[in-house]
């Protein structure tokens, strides 16, 4: 597995890489950000489809996962702290490390810059977050004006697309409706049972919604799972992608909506002004 050491911090990040498409100098690189419950291997099934779409996928393993540097004890205390200042500090630090990883990948990997030929745009980079992984991307965008000028200028030049897939409301600082079921809020389950239910809850296929205008929290709650993808995976495959022990150690404390509700609004207003330049 390839490793990247952040020159400015000395941190090591393991990552998954689909590789550059053969004979292409205009491919777009998409950085994939995983949620706390899984590591970056969850994205491997996408890799065979990258080259034919002139894409390259790079998926860093977050700290604590699969060979990436662990958090220090002080940082773990910030993860578990109830102090908004501590929470803000660790979220900002994590987002800046992601930005530095992307920047170093661009410079050291000689990733193609954005270009346009015959009206077709290519090159540059995209950011893709899935579920709780969206929090890192939103934090990166919210803090882009606090980065040093060289870093923010590089990202501004290369970044063309941001995709937030299945982003939880907590990432926007919005509490989930209390009528929506979630294993971690189920008082009838033990911690072990909650973790067992979590895999099914996250990766099941559900009945399609026929009329989007009629969607309510109750109608979503009543949808039945059509099939569970976890039942289609071998136990060793689940073990390879799921990391409940790591999520329990640090990640789940940063999945509370109150953490993101404390994000200063002025950061986003400043970001809008930054984007106009």
């Amino acid at each position: 597995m390839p490793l990247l050491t952040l020159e400015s911090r000395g941190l090591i990040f393991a990552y998954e890489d689909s590789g550059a498409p053969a004979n292409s100098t205009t491919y777009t690189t998409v950085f994939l950000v995983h949620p706390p419950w899984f590591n970056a291997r969850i994205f491997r099934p996408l890799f065979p489809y990258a080259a034919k779409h002139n894409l390259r996928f790079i998926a860093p393993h977050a700290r604590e996962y699969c060979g990436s540097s662990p958090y220090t004890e002080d940082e773990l205390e910030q993860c578990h702290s109830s102090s908004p200042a501590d929470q803000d500090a660790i979220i900002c630090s994590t987002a800046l490390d992601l930005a530095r990883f992307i920047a170093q990948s661009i410079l050291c990997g000689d990733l193609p810059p954005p270009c346009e030929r015959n009206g077709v745009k290519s090159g540059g980079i995209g950011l893709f977050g899935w579920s709780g992984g969206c929090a890192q991307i939103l934090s990166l965008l919210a803090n882009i004006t606090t980065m040093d000028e060289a870093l923010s200028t590089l990202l501004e030049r290369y970044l063309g697309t941001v995709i937030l897939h299945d982003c939880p409301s907590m990432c926007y600082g919005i509490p989930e409706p209390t009528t929506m079921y979630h294993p971690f809020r189920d008082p009838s389950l033990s911690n072990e049972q909650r973790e067992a239910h979590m895999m099914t809850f996250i990766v099941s296929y559900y009945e399609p919604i026929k009329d989007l205008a009629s969607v309510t929290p109750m109608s979503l709650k009543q949808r039945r799972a059509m099939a569970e993808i976890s039942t289609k995976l071998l136990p060793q495959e689940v073990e390879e992608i799921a990391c409940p022990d790591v999520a329990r150690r640090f990640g789940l404390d940063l999945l509370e909506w109150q953490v993101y509700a404390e994000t200063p609004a002025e950061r986003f207003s400043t970001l809008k002004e930054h984007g106009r330049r």
Side-chain angles (χ1 to χ4, degrees):
M1 184 186 304
L3 302 173
L4 183 149
T5 301
L6 292 188
E7 296 172 352
S8 59
R9 294 257 285 154
L11 299 175
I12 295 173
F13 281 90
Y15 62 96
E16 307 292 326
D17 187 355
S18 67
N23 304 316
S24 175
T25 58
T26 61
Y27 64 85
T28 298
T29 305
V30 182
F31 289 87
L32 311 173
V33 183
H34 66 86
W37 204 259
F38 299 99
N39 59 53
R41 297 185 189 119
I42 189 71
F43 296 119
R44 282 182 179 175
L46 297 175
F47 287 9
Y49 303 97
K52 69 178 181 180
H53 294 289
N54 203 30
L55 297 173
R56 179 179 184 177
F57 293 136
I58 296 179
H61 291 278
R63 290 177 65 182
E64 298 272 343
Y65 293 79
C66 302
S68 292
S69 293
Y71 282 107
T72 65
E73 289 303 317
D74 288 343
E75 288 170 326
L76 285 174
E77 285 185 13
Q78 288 180 319
C79 288
H80 299 297
S81 173
S82 59
S83 163
D86 285 342
Q87 295 168 348
D88 190 59
I90 192 64
I91 291 170
C92 292
S93 175
T94 300
L96 289 174
D97 285 339
L98 175 60
R100 295 183 184 107
F101 175 91
I102 294 169
Q104 200 163 315
S105 297
I106 292 172
L107 298 174
C108 296
D110 197 24
L111 302 185
C115 60
E116 185 171 350
R117 297 177 183 175
N118 300 321
V120 178
K121 295 181 179 180
S122 58
I125 67 169
L127 299 180
F128 176 94
W130 172 43
S131 188
C134 297
Q136 286 191 52
I137 293 178
L138 286 170
S139 298
L140 184 155
L141 296 175
N143 286 284
I144 198 166
T145 57
T146 68
M147 301 175 189
D148 64 72
E149 186 175 358
L151 180 56
S152 62
T153 299
L154 183 67
L155 292 179
E156 185 176 1
R157 179 189 174 202
Y158 271 78
L159 181 58
T161 301
V162 174
I163 301 172
L164 304 177
H165 177 61
D166 200 17
C167 182
S169 61
M170 66 85 189
C171 293
Y172 302 113
I174 302 172
E176 292 183 351
T178 56
T179 53
M180 291 288 290
Y181 179 78
H182 196 292
F184 279 4
R185 293 197 302 265
D186 190 337
S188 68
L189 301 178
S190 65
N191 288 336
E192 291 76 14
Q193 290 172 322
R194 288 173 181 171
E195 291 181 6
H197 279 65
M198 191 65 176
M199 174 65 78
T200 301
F201 179 73
I202 293 175
V203 298
S204 292
Y205 291 105
Y206 289 86
E207 294 174 336
I209 299 173
K210 297 179 180 179
D211 180 13
L212 292 177
S214 66
V215 172
T216 65
M218 185 56 66
S219 67
L220 292 176
K221 180 180 178 180
Q222 292 174 343
R223 279 197 306 165
R224 293 173 297 176
M226 297 173 63
E228 298 173 10
I229 193 172
S230 58
T231 63
K232 301 176 184 293
L233 297 174
L234 297 173
Q236 58 266 35
E237 292 176 314
V238 174
E239 184 176 350
E240 187 174 56
I241 61 174
C243 299
D245 54 332
V246 182
R248 189 186 318 116
R249 175 169 163 78
F250 90 99
L252 297 180
D253 284 332
L254 296 181
L255 289 182
E256 295 295 334
W257 71 271
Q258 293 92 338
V259 178
Y260 301 92
E262 295 292 339
T263 301
E266 57 267 22
R267 285 193 194 160
F268 289 95
S269 60
T270 305
L271 177 62
K272 291 179 183 178
E273 292 301 321
H274 184 77
R276 292 192 185 105
R277 296 199 292 270

